[in-house]
Amino acid sequence: MNLPGRPSSPQHEPFVADLSEGAETGVYLALLELIDEGLLIIGDELILDANTAACKLLERDYRQIAGQPLATLFPDEERFLEARGRLLIQGERRSQVGFALPDGRTRELKVLCAPRLRPGVHALVLSSSGSRTRASSRTSARTTVEPAAHFAAHLDPGHRVLSRPGSLFEAAIWPDASASSFEPRLWQALDQDEFSLNFQPLIDTRSKRLCAGEALLRWQHPTLGQLPFGRFRNAIHDPQLIARLGDWVLNSACRSARTWQAGDGQVPRLTVNVATEQLLHGDFAECVRLVLEDNDLPPERLELDLDENVLESESPGLLATLKALSAMGIRLAIDDFGRGLSSIPRLRRYPLNAIKLTPGLVQGVGHSEDNEAVVEAIVSLADTLGLEVLARGVETAAQRDFLSALACHLQQGPLFGQPMTAHAFSRFLA
């Protein structure tokens, strides 16, 4: 079936986005064609798909958008990098962006960004900068609706995106947890002490020694029960809330880690995930120093895991912060490496110690020769840069042995232990 705006002529083969890993075709197509706003589904550097409204707003044929580099929609590279940094790295949810039209003009459009629908896949909802009062073709009422609520309403009357584990929208929105209702509730959760930490062990497969514990955020929701961070991360758009949550995690994790005692006398390292918003918010390096000092924790025992998207940033302030952290003796690692289109040479920009393979690549070991080849290439190139490679999501002995043969000995995943409460992790160490 050809949707409006899609080419039907056989000599012009349409670009088809490869979202096969759990994507639900019905929901995906509904998102594309059942909203009045323009919708772009994009990767970190590539346009994956576009609906008819987006083609009209950008004055392009579908073939001129889908499958093209994202940079082609902007007047120049500088404005492309600036917009991508604001939307995909700094997490600016609503913005106004200037898009290049084919005749050389620039059109200012309102943009609602939904980053990381799944790793490396984002959505941009586009609308003209003027006021929008329109009639839906499926109702008789004339209403002005926020774009996100408008397309969600087409999918489910209760304004919930329908999903199942592994789908494109797996962590998008839960019942009673839409983006509009979730974010204010998270501020309350901070004040009401509804958050806790679990810790997952990182094992050295050579010595079988526990080398580190990674802090993982959990929310004890009053009606939905305990939610892992992945279930509500996409509902957080306020940079201040992201920074506040990150600070809470860092403080709580360091308080737990100062009590760790290992039976062999080698106390494990603490690993904490850090959002780019934290790095750009205030004097982050000084905040980390004070937290370590308050908890009598040596800097060498802390590793900060950074999102892979940090490699795309050109911020001088970000570089200065990372250099300050490294100078203290804190380890810096890129988490979920291999998710997007970042190239290993960009790792040279920052004072990094390690990269962590994304679980998606690790899970393909033993099933996909392509995945195995990518893992081998990353390990080999990282070695030339003097970077340690760690693996997350290891589930089988075969995956463990394959990675160990590549000298990737630091591994984490269900094979070595599930996340545990802070108390259980302390007992596990003893």
Side-chain angles (χ1 to χ4, degrees):
M1 178 182 74
N2 283 313
L3 296 173
R6 268 57 171 179
S8 57
S9 174
Q11 63 266 30
H12 296 295
E13 187 68 19
F15 172 82
V16 178
D18 182 11
L19 297 175
S20 56
E21 294 181 20
E24 297 174 12
T25 304
V27 174
Y28 174 64
L29 293 179
L31 274 175
L32 283 176
E33 293 301 336
L34 291 183
I35 70 171
D36 294 336
E37 293 83 7
L39 179 66
L40 295 177
I41 304 294
I42 63 171
D44 294 328
E45 297 185 4
L46 189 71
I47 308 167
L48 300 177
D49 219 331
N51 69 349
T52 304
C55 294
K56 290 179 179 178
L57 285 169
L58 299 170
E59 296 186 10
R60 285 172 168 84
D61 182 82
Y62 176 74
R63 290 185 295 269
Q64 297 173 311
I65 298 181
Q68 300 301 313
L70 185 58
T72 60
L73 296 183
F74 295 86
D76 52 53
E77 185 178 11
E78 181 180 352
R79 277 180 275 192
F80 160 60
L81 293 173
E82 187 268 338
R84 187 177 60 175
R86 284 191 291 116
L87 297 172
L88 303 186
I89 298 176
Q90 297 176 27
E92 188 173 306
R93 186 184 177 196
R94 290 180 173 83
S95 185
Q96 187 148 318
V97 176
F99 290 92
L101 300 181
D103 62 4
R105 291 177 297 131
T106 299
R107 173 167 292 167
E108 293 287 326
L109 296 175
K110 289 182 178 179
V111 176
L112 178 66
C113 179
R116 295 181 291 279
L117 293 176
R118 57 172 297 161
V121 179
H122 322 281
L124 301 181
V125 180
L126 314 178
S127 59
S128 60
S129 56
S131 61
R132 295 175 294 106
T133 303
R134 62 186 181 283
S136 168
S137 61
R138 293 161 186 81
T139 68
S140 58
R142 303 180 69 85
T143 55
T144 301
V145 188
E146 279 295 306
H150 182 64
F151 68 68
H154 284 299
L155 298 180
D156 176 65
H159 290 234
R160 293 177 287 120
V161 174
L162 304 181
S163 66
R164 63 171 181 265
S167 74
L168 179 65
F169 307 103
E170 176 184 356
I173 301 175
W174 280 55
D176 191 37
S178 66
S180 59
S181 68
F182 230 170
E183 200 163 57
R185 185 66 190 83
L186 286 166
W187 282 108
Q188 296 174 27
L190 275 168
D191 295 332
Q192 295 172 10
D193 199 25
E194 294 176 1
F195 291 106
S196 63
L197 292 180
N198 281 8
F199 293 88
Q200 187 166 27
L202 176 76
I203 304 295
D204 187 328
T205 59
R206 293 164 296 189
S207 63
K208 309 296 189 278
R209 186 175 69 86
L210 192 153
C211 297
E214 180 180 5
L216 302 172
L217 183 62
R218 299 290 185 262
W219 178 19
Q220 191 62 41
H221 191 281
T223 57
L224 300 176
Q226 189 178 86
L227 302 180
F229 179 62
R231 294 299 187 187
F232 57 90
R233 67 179 297 171
N234 287 338
I236 308 174
H237 301 285
D238 184 345
Q240 289 189 338
L241 177 57
I242 294 173
R244 173 90 182 273
L245 273 173
D247 291 344
W248 183 92
V249 170
L250 179 64
N251 276 278
S252 300
C254 287
R255 279 198 302 271
S256 292
R258 71 181 177 185
T259 67
W260 291 352
Q261 295 180 358
D264 59 2
Q266 297 183 357
V267 183
R269 195 167 56 241
L270 168 66
T271 299
V272 177
N273 291 277
V274 176
T276 307
E277 290 82 357
Q278 284 177 266
L279 298 169
L280 297 172
H281 186 74
D283 192 349
F284 180 71
E286 178 63 13
C287 290
V288 173
R289 188 190 68 78
L290 292 173
V291 170
L292 292 173
E293 187 178 280
D294 289 345
N295 290 282
D296 196 24
L297 205 65
E300 295 77 16
R301 281 193 55 202
L302 177 64
E303 175 181 284
L304 298 179
D305 284 2
L306 318 174
D307 191 284
E308 187 184 15
N309 284 336
V310 79
L311 298 175
E312 304 295 331
S313 176
E314 303 287 346
S315 168
L318 177 61
L319 178 58
T321 295
L322 295 180
K323 285 183 175 179
L325 292 167
S326 179
M328 291 183 210
I330 295 168
R331 277 173 56 94
L332 300 175
I334 295 294
D335 199 17
D336 284 347
F337 190 83
R339 259 185 343 190
L341 302 174
S342 299
S343 61
I344 281 188
R346 290 176 181 164
L347 295 167
R348 294 181 182 274
R349 294 179 186 172
Y350 300 121
L352 301 170
N353 303 99
I355 58 176
K356 291 188 173 182
L357 297 174
T358 180
L361 282 177
V362 173
Q363 289 163 10
V365 170
H367 304 285
S368 166
E369 291 184 1
D370 289 343
N371 269 37
E372 292 174 355
V374 170
V375 170
E376 287 190 56
I378 290 176
V379 172
S380 175
L381 290 171
D383 183 60
T384 66
L385 296 177
L387 294 172
E388 198 169 32
V389 180
L390 294 75
R392 295 178 59 239
V394 179
E395 297 178 340
T396 68
Q399 292 169 351
R400 176 199 63 200
D401 294 343
F402 177 87
L403 293 163
S404 296
L406 297 177
C408 178
H409 299 291
L410 298 179
Q411 301 179 21
Q412 181 182 34
L415 182 65
F416 306 104
Q418 297 288 352
M420 313 170 212
T421 65
H423 179 65
F425 189 77
S426 293
R427 285 192 287 112
F428 184 73
L429 290 176

